[in-house]
Amino acid sequence: MPPMEQQKLSGRPLVGQAISRLEGYEKVTGAARYSGEFNVKDLLYGYVINSTITKGKIISIDTSKAEAIPGVITVFHHGNRPSLAWFSMQYADMDAPPGTPFRPLQNGEVKYNGQPIALLVADSFETARYAATLVKVVYTTEEFQTDLIGNMAKARAPKGGLATFLKPPPPKPFGDFEKAFEAAPFKATGKFIHGTEHHNPMELFTTTTVYNGKGKLTIYDKTQGTVNCQLYVANVFGLHFKDVRVISPYVGGAFGSGLRPQHQLFFSVMAALELKRNVRVTLDRHQMFTFGHRPPTVQFTRFGATVDGKVTALNHEAIAETSRFEDYTEVVVNWAHMLYPAQNTLFKYNLVPLDVFSPLDMRAPGGSTGLHAIESTMDELAYQLKIDPLELRLINYAERDESTDRPYSSKELRKCYLQGAEQFGWNKRSPEPRSMRNGHKLVGYGMATGIWEAMQLPARAAASITTEGKLKVNSAVTDIGTGTLTVMSQIAADEMGLPLEDVSFTYGDSKMAFAPIQGGSFTISSVGSAVKAACNALKKKILKKAKTMDNSPFKSHKIDEVVFADRKMISIANPSVFISYSDIIAANDHKVIKSVNFAMPKALKLKKYSRAAHSASFVEVEVDEELGTINVTRAVTAVAAGKIINPKTAKSQILGGMVWSISKALREETISDHRFGKYMNMNIAEYHIPVHADIHDLDVIFVEEQDDIVNELGTKGVGEIGLAAMPSAIANAIYHATGKRINQFPIHFDQLL
Amino acid sequence: MHTYESGLKEEMQHQSELSMTINGVPKSRTVKPWVSLLDYLREYLDLTGTKKGCDHGQCGACTVICDGKRILSCLTLAVMKEGSEITTIEGIAKDGELHPLQQAFIDHDAFQCGYCTPGQICSAIGMIAEGKAKTRSEVKELMSGNLCRCGANTNIIDAIMDVQKGAGNE
């Protein structure tokens, strides 16, 4: 266990303190085991075989050569697979978009390039990988389309469905956009092109399925939702919900890729059930490009403003890729009117179904896409108007959310602008493009605004006082590296008045209290609120128990007349009257006291408000004048995200978002060859993400923001907001440095030559 | 009849006795020649601290220290390292006492998901031993074979610089 005493904690409350990750010891010593690291006995290894065509049918699969290899157990494919759930909706997980979920091995139909079409199972990984190359597949091919740009004319409105409740459609138009835009003395327009991106967490997607006999499974899976995967497996394979246990103790990054059950889960479970053996299936790095991705998206903006910089007309339209079988959507065009109170607006969002796998939420989905277009158009408008870009944001500062005609539950964006600008030294910027230099390098300053909705989903938590008088809390939630274990422990410790070492928070197991998928920056607000609710209920049980004791001094006490501190319940009126948790447990016949509670968003109260985290990013770039090479030399992101439970782990979330911003603006892109309908750089040597040498001076500010409405904790989440503003700020800085407005990501040196 | 396939089948049955010292402990067992050092550690010896991120030498997550040098265990066949001394992340802390770099990683929050961490730490220890990296920019350059997707880059370099400084002061 980690030596807790090494952390210097300064009293109460623990919430708000920069506490080091409680799982740090396990992670730096290699003791932390991820889903592919449970080396159970008699393990078989599955290797997925992928289609090499983009669309068509499988005519035949010849497995004879593969099966002749010693150690090969079998090859599963559509022709010999076991019977599976018939209704496609049984494959729908909690994050399934409207449509028909992909069903592996359903039939011989190939819907996209790299589709998993067979699983080879062998007694070693090496044998499985090798023998898989000996499986011969014959196809007939059909015509396909994978190119968004070439198929824009086919764009249509997305279908509605259950999973779209977190993803509202574009806001209704206000006023008369065309007329207002026509009349506006200052205008800025843009066309923004984003390519495909893949999440590429460092850990490969792996499932180790332990066959416990009689249809009972213990599944170690890489996922962002243990209960989501439990539901999926039970539904698809017709198992009892309780016989399926999904465990994800450590998750080696996910960024959205684990929001839906991935292929390796299906294959590992299918093989384990059929062979009645323990089976591990790992998708290799190449195969990590064969499921969800951030969809390529093309956006158009037209903003109009008065001579004094008031934005009067906002138009933002997006056309995005989806698959043929599901209508995956993002919130791309809803942000502009939340940020800028124009009287005339027009927003559109449409999809083009193509022969690709369904896109999937990837860190700041939609937000990082849309805000690039919005904030770079605002930047362009600032140059047209000859107004400082920061000043233009302040002139158009939205005191309320005009898009829904509601006040914000809290909004300290102005502080983000001012504190961020101060820290960065924005006042040293000279307004003209190409006016700042460092030797042979052009220097540019750019800024942009970020926004991300503060959401809360229903979640449960279980809390109990153990026989030793300590606190145990559990939730099925995962910790994908965000610091969930640490922040939940802080919340629980404060609620019960316990030191951190008396609290154990366990998680990542579908057997535990229900938690939704971990994403959208809503985990702290959803599960954190549940932890608080469970602790509050536990306090009431403790008081109730205390009242039943002989000569109890608490008989007349109400719950608001006691406090829970120093491992005891204490009377507020008379602090010499108290009872320790261990004495309470003794009085309870040495039995634990437990409470399991739900926390729900307070819908009636919340619907009167818009709830969002905000940010402002300031970026300095240096561009080599002759070579066009771009370097982000320093950046500041100031964030208003309500209460920050742990400034250390929260800062890391924002830093991560800032590195992702550099990656999005300058590095990462999955490149397709549309002649083959195939991704061409399916590895992390050719799929570029920043390395240490690319990352320089990054600074994070959390501005004070109190929010008594958003949820019990006053938190808004910090997973996405770090990636909201900065990509655009980088593009804007490049414009300031070079005078070239590049609206296509990633921006490469050749575009600047 | 001796065909390519039957020859291959024979070849696949071939096993070698392999002995090496891992984290100070002698380890011997038979292994097929096509097993990478990475898979040997993870799948055969249950030393799962060394991570597989790409299996192609692109990410650095599998970095271990072999005879004092940092190497990519995924690009190394286990049988190539007969008689070698290997240190993996499990062997960095001594008697439960963390190496200063491990403690620095915790203090600087130099990881989030933790999956690249064993590789970052082994690589940094190897790099410090190489004696080449003195400045922050040299450290960044020489650590650039170790990817971090969570974006903990600045914290990782801060942690290494902390230990680097300490080492210089001794």
Side-chain angles (χ1 to χ4, degrees), chain A residues 443-582:
Chain A
V443 174
Y445 286 6
M447 61 81 58
T449 314
I451 181 170
W452 185 258
E453 271 203 275
M455 294 175 276
Q456 183 189 355
L457 297 185
R460 284 166 88 91
S464 57
I465 295 288
T466 67
T467 48
E468 294 82 37
K470 297 189 176 184
L471 178 67
K472 275 189 174 175
V473 184
N474 80 54
S475 159
V477 70
T478 48
D479 184 344
I480 54 176
T482 45
T484 310
L485 162 64
T486 312
V487 295
M488 296 306 161
S489 302
Q490 287 174 260
I491 293 166
D494 274 355
E495 285 300 321
M496 299 306 298
L498 285 168
L500 213 45
E501 62 265 26
D502 279 9
V503 178
S504 81
F505 179 76
T506 48
Y507 59 99
D509 185 338
S510 63
K511 258 177 69 174
M512 295 172 180
F514 169 85
I517 46 180
Q518 180 174 36
S521 295
F522 51 65
T523 297
I524 186 76
S525 304
S526 308
V527 179
S529 297
V531 167
K532 198 176 159 95
C535 289
N536 278 326
L538 196 58
K539 289 180 197 171
K540 287 181 188 156
K541 286 192 173 177
I542 289 170
L543 176 60
K544 198 175 163 193
K545 185 69 221 169
K547 283 173 191 270
T548 65
M549 293 166 71
D550 294 340
N551 306 318
S552 171
F554 289 99
K555 280 213 161 58
S556 65
H557 281 73
K558 297 198 178 78
I559 191 70
D560 55 359
E561 290 166 350
V562 290
V563 289
F564 295 79
D566 300 330
R567 302 182 168 102
K568 353 178 188 1
M569 178 174 70
I570 307 165
S571 164
I572 294 174
N574 182 3
S576 67
V577 171
F578 61 81
I579 182 164
S580 73
Y581 297 156
S582 37

Side-chain angles (χ1 to χ4, degrees), chain A residues 3 6 20-21 23-25 27-34 36-39 43 45 65 68-70 124-127 129-130 134 198-204 250-253 255 280 284-285 362-363 480-482 648-649 651-653 655-657 659-660 663 668 683-687 689-698, chain B residues 4-5 8-9 12-13 32 34-36 39-56 58-61 89-93 96-98 101-103 105-118 120-121 136-137 139-141 143-157:
Chain A
Q6 287 176 358
S20 295
R21 274 167 219 271
E23 80 284 18
Y25 183 89
K27 284 183 174 171
V28 301
T29 56
R33 281 192 192 252
Y34 298 73
E37 300 173 349
F38 289 84
N39 288 330
L43 189 60
Y45 293 80
K65 276 197 175 166
I69 298 292
S124 77
F125 164 67
E126 291 80 9
T127 304
R129 181 178 55 184
Y130 169 65
L134 304 177
H198 280 84
H199 309 73
N200 278 307
M202 293 311 300
E203 183 196 14
L204 301 171
Y250 292 98
V251 180
F255 316 109
R280 173 178 300 156
D284 64 22
R285 183 56 64 181
M362 179 165 158
R363 200 168 195 176
I480 54 176
T482 45
K648 192 170 196 167
T649 52
K651 182 184 175 189
S652 289
Q653 284 295 289
L655 286 172
V659 172
W660 274 60
S663 194
E668 71 184 271
N683 61 73
I684 42 178
E686 293 170 292
Y687 186 94
I689 62 169
V691 299
H692 292 307
D694 296 325
I695 302 300
H696 306 296
D697 185 2
L698 305 180
Chain B
Y4 170 74
E5 271 89 14
L8 189 78
K9 271 186 211 171
M12 284 175 61
Q13 298 310 304
K32 289 183 182 172
W34 65 359
V35 175
S36 71
D39 288 323
Y40 183 62
L41 292 169
R42 287 169 60 83
E43 308 289 336
Y44 294 76
L45 301 180
D46 198 31
L47 288 168
T48 56
T50 306
K51 303 304 183 197
K52 185 187 278 192
C54 69
D55 224 7
H56 283 69
Q58 299 170 344
C59 76
I89 190 68
E90 289 95 340
I92 302 292
E97 177 116 353
L98 292 180
L101 190 62
Q102 291 174 311
Q103 188 58 50
F105 264 61
I106 295 176
D107 295 342
H108 287 274
D109 207 29
F111 51 87
Q112 293 174 36
C113 79
Y115 201 78
C116 74
T117 312
Q120 302 277 1
I121 290 174
R136 190 178 175 92
S137 102
V139 169
K140 283 201 277 193
E141 191 65 38
M143 283 299 296
S144 279
N146 289 81
L147 300 180
C148 168
R149 183 57 156 165
C150 293
N153 307 72
T154 52
N155 292 346
I156 291 169
I157 303 301

Side-chain angles (χ1 to χ4, degrees), chain B residues 56-70:
Chain B
H56 283 69
Q58 299 170 344
C59 76
C62 67
T63 307
V64 298
I65 301 166
C66 175
D67 299 325
K69 279 188 177 166
R70 49 179 176 159

Side-chain angles (χ1 to χ4, degrees), chain A residues 368-384:
Chain A
S368 61
T369 308
L371 285 157
H372 169 213
I374 295 161
E375 288 300 292
S376 286
T377 308
M378 284 298 280
D379 195 62
E380 181 60 31
L381 202 53
Y383 283 95
Q384 304 274 336

Side-chain angles (χ1 to χ4, degrees), chain A residues 70 148 242 324 460 522 533 626 677:
Chain A
L148 175 68
K242 283 190 172 166
R324 299 270 186 208
R460 284 166 88 91
F522 51 65
E626 283 165 18

